Amino acid sequence: MSLILTGIGVTSGIAIGRVHRLTPGELDLPEYHLEAGAVENEIERLQHAIDRSERFIQRMLERVAEGGETARELLEAHRLILRDPLLVDAAVERIRDSRINAEWALVQQSEALLDEFRRLDDSYIALRREDLEQAVQLILRKMADQPATLVGAQVPHQLADTVIVADSLGPADMAILHQRRVAGLVTEHGGPMSHSAILARSLEIPMVVGIHQAVNRLNEDEAVILDGHYGALMVGFDEGLQRHYEDKREASERHRTELKRFLARPSRTLDGEGFQLYGNAELPAEFERCREARAAGIGLMRTEYLFLGDRLPDEDTQYRAYRAAIEAMEGRPVTIRTLDAGGDKLPPGLAVTQGPNPALGLRGLRLSLAVTELFREQIRAILRASVHGPVQILLPMLTDVEELHQARRIIDDCRRELQRRGESIDPGLPVGGMIETPAAALAVREFAPLLDFMSIGTNDLIQYVLAIDRQDEQVSYLYDPGHPAILSLIEQIVLAGREFDCPVTVCGELAGDEAAVRLLLALGVANFSMPPASIPAVKKSLIDARAARCREILARHRARPASGRQLLGELLRE
């Protein structure tokens, strides 16, 4: 009898294999009070478990294979938590003050921190919560002399025909499973932005998360088909369905291989119009994938991740991050967007600036100009990094020309300050602006003469122009990149760029869509920046397109408007 379990597909791809369930042994967490003379020994027992946990993470870091930078970063985050005074010192205090055993104190303290995290409905905080839970579990397992990971002796060394099913998976588990070439992954918990999902995408392992009770509902060694695209796990299928998915898997692998052949071809449409493809990146693995995809450079390096800790990063910390990114791209330009905090992504260190309506409040460049010392530190860090390779500054969320003047004065001040200090910098470092608000798009002819380049952020532009939130399923059907207002604004930006010799790049989600790039091509866009995984398909789409034909289709659409979906479909068939 066939059964289909559904969850959330976080990585496209198909895995066919047999189930291996990872079931952690239940930890016996004792709770007892201590005699006064036993307190220091209990603290020492906790510290010993932390030391052993740290040594385990160090061993895992040494084992992480090439290309596992994301796993390495997550393991480093766990190592930092092991020494976090908010966890460890506070647990020690509980042992001393309440005279309770180490496990009890550690669980109490972690629960107190988790309660604080739960009050904040934020995707970044959710990841911190996951980090904390996994680091505490590691310490508790060391105190109980239990294996530190789910993956150990109970998992075979060759997993090419195995689909792992678990409650959840940590970075150490993922690193080992990747080394053993696991076919696919299923977890009962986690979302698209959980650590395991991020790692699965980074390592290109087909994965479905959020299949409730999967461990109990599936039998060991049961044959399954995992479809990461549709978030489905099929059980009890017949030979016909298996052959269908085997063919589909082979076709998918052939398609990916074929797409990569386009990477070496000249960036020209069928009728000879040139274009440039850039990558969006912030993690080391993403820079590596941009190089592999032969990206012309980094069109968008977000910097918010540097500001997500409890402490804001200082100038030197930022300088090291920007230098690493520039050196990773080996001479290709890196566009660093200054802090685009606000909206739904305000760092804890700047939470005091949160207003009643974050999407329309102190965010992007407005926030930087409100906390100018923070902005100056970031600008100095970028300028100092500019001696290591080509780099340009991108200012987010422009709405008013005076804001741009103010930002440029600060950049000039920072430049002079560094020169007085004898620091080497690129004196001609380009400064660009994000055109992503209706105000900036309508006033683009005032902005363009003051900028060295412009980037169109289509996600925010469409949201603000159409007054819809795509995450709201009640109105998401109204999201339409072919809406006349959107087409008109993008065209105005492109024309202003040509008039003032100010190059225009699209770095929003449309730039990574193989159909939407043909629409942008028809509007005159020639520079696109996207996640590295989208580069092969987008390049094929543009190489196979005729720019003139795309413009004809767009002109016909404007004369007799149809839905944006129909327009994109026709452009893709061109």
Side-chain angles (χ1 to χ4, degrees), residues 5 7 20 25 102 110 180 194 206 253-254 287 310 334 377 396 424 529 548 556:
L5 304 178
H20 185 83
S110 65
R180 298 184 186 180
S194 64
E253 289 169 358
R254 277 199 308 274
F287 289 104
D310 295 325
V334 176
E377 282 188 351
S424 298
S529 188
R556 194 166 63 239

Side-chain angles (χ1 to χ4, degrees), residues 523-542:
L523 290 166
V525 176
N527 300 314
F528 308 85
S529 188
M530 67 208 75
S534 301
I535 292 178
V538 166
K539 185 159 187 179
K540 179 181 185 303
S541 178
L542 290 172

Side-chain angles (χ1 to χ4, degrees), residues 260-428:
K260 287 180 181 176
R261 291 180 186 159
F262 285 84
L263 296 177
R265 291 178 54 180
S267 296
R268 290 199 169 277
T269 62
L270 272 181
D271 49 358
E273 292 201 7
F275 59 85
Q276 292 285 349
L277 302 185
Y278 297 84
N280 299 343
E282 55 191 78
L283 299 175
E286 293 168 330
F287 289 104
E288 185 180 329
R289 294 184 70 184
C290 285
R291 285 201 313 274
E292 291 172 355
R294 303 190 186 205
I298 300 300
L300 176 64
M301 177 185 175
R302 300 177 180 89
T303 56
E304 292 75 67
Y305 78 99
L306 290 168
F307 295 81
L308 293 178
D310 295 325
R311 294 179 182 175
L312 297 173
D314 60 18
E315 182 182 319
D316 285 342
T317 300
Q318 294 186 62
Y319 161 74
R320 287 192 293 273
Y322 305 146
R323 175 179 176 172
I326 293 164
E327 291 181 341
M329 290 310 294
E330 300 174 344
R332 280 168 275 190
V334 176
T335 304
I336 300 176
R337 187 178 69 186
T338 58
L339 181 63
D340 190 17
D344 59 349
K345 47 194 174 184
L346 200 59
L350 293 170
V352 292
T353 61
Q354 186 91 46
N357 188 344
L360 301 178
L362 199 57
R363 56 171 301 194
L365 183 60
R366 298 172 191 169
L367 178 62
S368 292
L369 295 178
V371 282
T372 51
E373 189 46 44
L374 189 73
F375 186 51
R376 287 174 183 275
E377 282 188 351
Q378 184 168 35
I379 296 300
R380 288 196 298 266
I382 298 172
L383 287 168
R384 287 169 57 197
S386 68
V387 297
H388 301 289
V391 61
Q392 44 192 21
I393 292 173
L394 179 59
L395 302 170
M397 195 75 182
L398 298 180
T399 51
D400 190 285
V401 170
E402 180 49 37
E403 290 175 336
L404 176 56
H405 282 305
Q406 195 177 344
R408 295 213 67 141
R409 284 195 293 271
I410 291 174
I411 294 170
D412 289 342
D413 285 347
C414 291
R415 189 180 282 126
R416 286 191 291 270
E417 180 185 346
L418 290 172
Q419 287 171 332
R420 282 196 301 272
R421 280 166 34 182
E423 299 258 11
S424 298
I425 60 169
D426 174 3

